[in-house]
Amino acid sequence: MLILGIETSCDETGVALYDSEQGLLAHALFSQIDMHADYGGVVPELASRDHVRKLLPLCDQVLADAGRIRGDIEGITYTAGPGLVGALMVGGSVAHALGFALGVPVLGVHHMEGHLLAPMLEDNPPAFPFVALLVSGGHTQLVLVNGIGEYEMLGESVDDAAGEAFDKTAKMLGLDYPGGPRVAALAENGTEGRYRFPRPMTDRPGLDFSFSGLKTFTLNTVSAAEKAGGLDDQTRADIALAFEAAVVDTLTIKCRRALEQTCSKRLVIAGGVSANKRLRAGMEKMADKLGAGVFYARPEFCTDNGAMIAYAGCQRMKAGQRDGDRIVAVPRWPMNSLPPIGEPRGNGLVD
């Protein structure tokens, strides 16, 4: 089954062509980072308009790269949520219009399920069941995954997501958007041990997260350095390192607890923050002590992309799931509300 996947949940326009027998054939991505950098974050209206401009040309590009034509497409999947509603509507509108014109089925896909399943695109994919850490700008969640659509929420952030905390810290340090990679790059020049930041909610049982207090601690540290006249480049790097280490340690501690609690030997890390090198190293060291394996997608598939939407949608389409005539856009959508693969679902996903 040849699937065209479309991702437009935020500020990345992603398109991919996935074949259920041959695997990923082609993918393309256009990032709006340069446009939004002037505003210090994503402007929803500008994001939607840029998706309109870029989406169809990217569809044609991946078809050309794969040596296929539109008539070869057997199904179209798109991100139905969560995300920016205007951006979601662009992807859903294009998907349904193409589906109608080509006479092929269309299916809206959960954005975070796409991230969760992105490691399945690799040569050594994880087997079910496994524990998954979904960590991005909008989500920080620990999930027990027994199969596609079989999700048990183990813990999540009670306030800010880890990626959001990275972005806010970047602004405090005078770094450009997007903040996460820039904080990590700055931390490479930091001095170990100069600052010690708290590891929130690790001194109590449970698997929930909280990063708002860590964000406040960072702000206070920056303010104190500024008042002392010492917020030079080295101090900024030292603060970045202390912040990054605190986030990585917090996530690692919670993942260790989740593995021990579930007796799982497989850990999947997915989402934009999963590309962080310090996080990967920390998780691998922790998992090795437990005799567990760690799985994640290649860096280009950690951030938003069409390939993960094509793969996730293909699995559900093969099981018979389809959209009705209505375009689906669900800005807020709990992943554990998804039905197991093979079970029917209502048009609109939430009926």
Side-chain angles (χ1 to χ4, degrees):
M1 191 174 194
L2 187 64
I3 300 296
L4 179 72
I6 294 173
E7 155 61 24
T8 62
S9 65
C10 190
D11 61 339
E12 311 278 4
T13 311
V15 180
L17 204 61
Y18 181 86
D19 187 273
S20 57
E21 299 297 328
Q22 301 178 49
L24 184 65
L25 301 182
H27 66 96
L29 183 75
F30 180 82
S31 175
Q32 303 174 3
I33 285 176
D34 291 342
M35 177 176 65
H36 296 293
D38 293 338
Y39 302 93
V42 177
V43 181
E45 179 62 24
L46 296 181
S48 300
R49 292 182 181 185
D50 210 52
H51 288 312
V52 172
R53 286 190 288 265
K54 299 299 191 302
L55 192 47
L56 283 176
L58 285 179
C59 290
D60 291 337
Q61 179 183 328
V62 296
L63 285 166
D65 290 345
R68 303 297 182 91
I69 61 174
R70 288 186 182 179
D72 294 331
I73 296 172
E74 297 174 275
I76 302 172
T77 64
Y78 66 97
T79 301
L84 302 175
V85 67
L88 295 172
M89 286 297 296
V90 173
S93 298
V94 170
H96 274 267
L98 285 174
F100 180 80
L102 298 174
V104 299
V106 178
L107 179 67
V109 174
H110 194 290
H111 180 73
M112 294 311 295
E113 182 171 69
H115 277 302
L116 175 70
L117 299 178
M120 299 297 185
L121 293 164
E122 303 303 319
D123 293 335
N124 181 34
F128 298 112
F130 55 78
V131 169
L133 172 67
L134 300 176
V135 57
S136 66
H139 299 81
T140 303
Q141 300 173 330
L142 273 168
V143 185
L144 176 61
V145 181
N146 291 308
I148 297 177
E150 299 177 50
Y151 308 132
E152 178 186 344
M153 196 65 62
L154 301 174
E156 59 187 334
S157 179
V158 299
D159 41 55
D160 294 346
E164 181 182 359
F166 264 103
D167 288 340
K168 296 292 178 59
T169 294
K171 287 186 178 181
M172 297 175 203
L173 295 173
L175 302 176
D176 291 333
Y177 172 85
R182 300 186 190 281
V183 170
L186 182 61
E188 292 290 330
N189 299 316
T191 304
E192 293 274 1
R194 180 179 176 186
Y195 293 102
R196 168 74 182 182
F197 282 20
R199 276 59 175 163
M201 294 184 72
T202 59
D203 58 348
R204 67 193 75 173
L207 297 174
D208 285 334
F209 303 91
S210 172
F211 293 103
S212 63
L214 181 60
K215 185 179 64 178
T216 301
F217 191 95
T218 304
L219 178 61
N220 291 338
T221 303
V222 170
S223 298
E226 288 176 334
K227 290 178 181 178
L231 192 60
D232 52 23
D233 289 344
Q234 186 58 56
T235 299
R236 291 166 65 247
D238 294 344
I239 292 173
L241 176 59
F243 169 82
E244 183 184 49
V247 173
V248 167
D249 285 352
T250 300
L251 295 173
T252 303
I253 290 169
K254 296 289 185 170
C255 285
R256 187 195 68 232
R257 289 182 186 176
L259 289 171
E260 292 173 340
Q261 178 178 310
T262 60
C263 299
S264 178
K265 292 298 182 182
R266 287 177 290 271
L267 174 66
V268 165
I269 312 171
V273 182
S274 69
N276 183 280
K277 294 180 180 179
R278 186 179 294 271
L279 177 63
R280 291 191 175 198
M283 290 295 184
E284 288 175 358
K285 183 178 180 180
M286 175 274 294
D288 186 62
K289 291 181 180 179
L290 297 179
V294 181
F295 302 84
Y296 33 70
R298 70 196 79 166
E300 64 188 309
F301 292 158
C302 290
T303 53
D304 296 350
N305 63 88
M308 68 183 192
I309 301 304
Y311 176 83
C314 182
Q315 308 316 304
R316 289 190 173 273
M317 271 198 168
K318 287 194 301 181
Q321 293 185 2
R322 305 285 190 272
D323 272 3
D325 296 331
R326 186 174 58 163
I327 298 170
V328 177
V330 189
R332 296 182 181 275
W333 185 10
M335 195 174 68
N336 57 0
S337 68
L338 291 172
I341 191 168
E343 288 189 7
R345 67 185 189 184
N347 178 41
L349 318 182
V350 293
D351 289 348

